[in-house]
Amino acid sequence: MHPDHTEPPHQPPSRSRGGRRLRNTVVTLALGAAMFAAGAVMLAPDQTTASRPSGQGRPGATHPRGSIEALQARVTRLPKDPGGWAALGMAYVQQARTTADPATYDRAEKALRTSFTVQAEGNTDAETGMGALAAARHDFPTALRWARKATASGPYSSSAYGVLADAYTQLGRYDDADEAVQKMTDLRPDAASLARASYAFELKGDTDRARALMRRSLAAAATRADTSFARNVLATLDLQDGDPRAALARTRTGLRAAPGDSALLETRARAHLALGDTAKALADYRAAIAIAPLPHYLLGLGELEQSLGHHGQAEEQYALLRAQDRIRQATGGAADTDAILFEADHGSARKAVTMAEQTLRTRPFVAVHDAYSWALHRAGRDTEALVQADKALATGTRSALFRYHRAVVHHALGDPDVARHDLTEALREPAFHPLHADAARDLLQRIDTTP
């Protein structure tokens, strides 16, 4: 799958003043180590944005309507409360990303701007919210500017450092991102910061430490949404480790507590697929899409339908993806990696190359390098594709999809031995993709049987 959108649970942004610095003597990130994320931008449990690798934790607990209504009532009752307006803006960001409704971002920006009219200076909550909003819109240079303002006005705000880390990550500044994650963890070792610490190790390929930290995040979870988030991440780690039964058990546990969590449904769909139960996989994908028609859900279902020979049903999902991308083009936004990979595999490779080049200018991020590599390969430009594929895998990620993409490029360039290695690594997650996993096995067999 190629998710670019993920949503965690809601918590109000931390207050900008009076925060008490908490030192964490247990979690220590190796500063300077590279960080990776494969396209998925989400809101972390602290309501800032974060990233997860392709197919990884997509907490989808939607923001309860009652909470939005309560915040609306609060600002009506207290119109001069900057924190209330900032919290409402963050809630709208969460709602937009869990419902795939970009118009809600405008409501988020209006609420955050109103917070600034009440308190123009030192408004860390609103600055953090504007950073999260910019990241949600994939405008990471703007997210970085707001995050810097927030950390300057609120040096003890862990949420502000979360936005800072996310912006640095998406801008390819992985050392800086690592330092920001460390700072966030030092300030508040709660569920949100522990989740980020987990992710920092996951991105470097250290899934053992990532799993241990995510278990701590689960233990520290203060809300049902935080709990669902942690369980979903752990389930995706199970899938990555080739243990779909563990992933299935974990998602079932999560869905008993949060039956409407679209992210858990999508992850359970992938677990069912890995176990060969395509009927249940289809049902879970459809249930997730009924809750939130997010692009990576649509693409996952479409490619699963295609793999089963259901071309009409697959085209229905692809038509929705094309409609979503037309909206994106009309608003002038950069393409997500989902859109680039979809265009490369199911549309025009030359167009996919152009989309990737445009996105890479403001998002020099490993997932975009991977999508660019694949688009270049599909366009017959394999020498250039290899450069991008190497950049995508330079940080140590265990992404099966990235490995598969590079293997195909190596094979096209006449290097079957290196291709064999990448294919073997990719197939450590045997069901990493509805279409490409079988293609990877076929290619590996051809290499092994060719003199």
Side-chain angles (χ1 to χ4, degrees):
M1 316 302 160
H2 326 294
D4 237 296
H5 302 282
T6 50
E7 293 310 318
H10 167 77
Q11 288 181 3
S14 60
R15 299 298 301 170
S16 58
R17 297 176 183 174
R20 177 169 172 257
R21 180 169 182 164
L22 300 175
R23 296 296 304 175
N24 176 16
T25 60
V26 181
V27 179
T28 303
L29 302 180
L31 296 181
M35 295 183 67
F36 153 82
V41 178
M42 65 182 184
L43 292 178
D46 61 347
Q47 270 292 88
T48 59
T49 58
S51 304
R52 293 217 60 83
S54 189
Q56 299 279 324
R58 285 179 284 284
T62 58
H63 187 84
R65 283 183 57 84
S67 297
I68 294 249
E69 291 167 357
L71 289 169
Q72 290 170 333
R74 174 181 169 182
V75 297
T76 299
R77 187 175 67 256
L78 301 170
K80 298 298 183 181
D81 176 16
W85 284 108
L88 179 60
M90 290 292 263
Y92 279 135
V93 173
Q94 170 80 351
Q95 184 184 66
R97 297 191 60 78
T98 55
T99 60
D101 178 10
T104 309
Y105 290 136
D106 294 336
R107 290 193 285 273
E109 183 169 359
K110 182 178 179 180
L112 292 166
R113 295 287 183 190
T114 303
S115 181
F116 284 121
T117 64
V118 178
Q119 181 184 335
E121 300 297 328
N123 191 342
T124 304
D125 290 350
E127 290 163 351
T128 302
M130 289 295 288
L133 174 62
R137 288 170 161 168
H138 286 197
D139 182 356
F140 297 105
T142 299
L144 178 60
R145 288 194 294 273
W146 281 111
R148 284 172 168 167
K149 286 185 177 182
T151 54
S153 66
Y156 301 116
S157 168
S158 63
S159 295
Y161 278 98
V163 175
L164 184 66
D166 304 330
Y168 278 140
T169 299
Q170 298 287 328
L171 291 169
R173 297 175 58 173
Y174 306 115
D175 292 350
D176 291 330
D178 229 12
E179 292 183 18
V181 171
Q182 180 65 72
K183 180 70 171 180
M184 182 186 185
T185 307
D186 289 345
L187 286 169
R188 183 178 294 179
D190 59 4
S193 59
L194 288 167
R196 266 192 178 79
S198 166
Y199 188 48
F201 287 109
E202 182 186 343
L203 302 182
K204 295 185 283 283
D206 190 345
T207 54
D208 288 341
R209 297 178 81 175
R211 188 184 297 277
L213 284 164
M214 188 52 68
R215 285 173 177 153
R216 289 184 58 194
S217 181
L218 177 61
T223 68
R224 187 176 71 177
D226 291 359
T227 300
S228 294
F229 174 79
R231 283 177 174 153
N232 196 58
V233 172
L234 287 166
T236 59
L237 288 172
D238 291 333
L239 288 173
Q240 183 176 306
D241 290 341
D243 191 354
R245 294 191 183 280
L248 183 61
R250 208 180 296 276
T251 52
R252 282 174 171 168
T253 298
L255 285 164
R256 280 196 292 271
D261 190 308
S262 66
L264 282 168
L265 284 166
E266 190 264 354
T267 302
R268 190 172 70 175
R270 293 189 292 118
H272 281 309
L273 177 60
L275 292 168
D277 195 335
T278 56
K280 288 183 179 178
L282 289 169
D284 277 345
Y285 266 122
R286 290 166 184 157
I289 288 169
I291 295 167
L294 298 173
H296 60 283
Y297 298 175
L298 296 169
L299 186 54
L301 177 57
E303 290 179 329
L304 176 54
E305 297 276 22
Q306 182 178 339
S307 74
L308 297 172
H310 305 161
H311 299 293
Q313 292 92 325
E315 186 55 38
E316 289 177 6
Q317 309 309 316
Y318 298 160
L320 290 172
L321 283 165
R322 293 185 186 101
Q324 288 183 347
D325 197 58
R326 284 194 292 273
I327 295 172
R328 189 269 308 171
Q329 292 178 58
T331 60
D336 293 340
T337 55
D338 286 332
I340 297 166
L341 292 170
F342 170 68
E343 191 65 36
D345 281 330
H346 307 285
S348 164
R350 291 180 63 184
K351 180 180 177 182
V353 168
T354 300
M355 292 164 65
E357 288 171 344
Q358 291 172 344
T359 299
L360 200 61
R361 283 197 283 270
T362 56
R363 192 183 175 193
F365 169 55
V366 287
V368 183
H369 287 298
D370 170 71
Y372 187 25
S373 168
W374 190 240
L376 286 166
H377 162 72
R378 299 284 287 184
R381 297 163 60 180
D382 287 300
T383 301
E384 297 166 84
L386 183 58
V387 173
Q388 297 300 320
D390 285 342
K391 288 182 178 181
L393 283 158
T395 60
T397 171
R398 291 177 55 189
S399 169
L401 186 64
F402 288 18
R403 286 281 188 175
Y404 168 72
H405 286 162
R406 190 171 70 174
V408 173
V409 172
H410 274 302
H411 188 259
L413 290 171
D415 197 342
D417 291 335
V418 179
R420 178 189 290 109
H421 174 72
D422 276 341
L423 289 168
T424 302
E425 290 298 311
L427 288 168
R428 291 180 185 276
E429 184 181 348
F432 69 88
H433 190 279
L435 297 171
H436 296 323
D438 285 343
R441 280 184 282 273
D442 290 344
L443 180 57
L444 183 59
Q445 183 177 21
R446 291 202 306 274
I447 291 172
D448 288 339
T449 56
T450 299

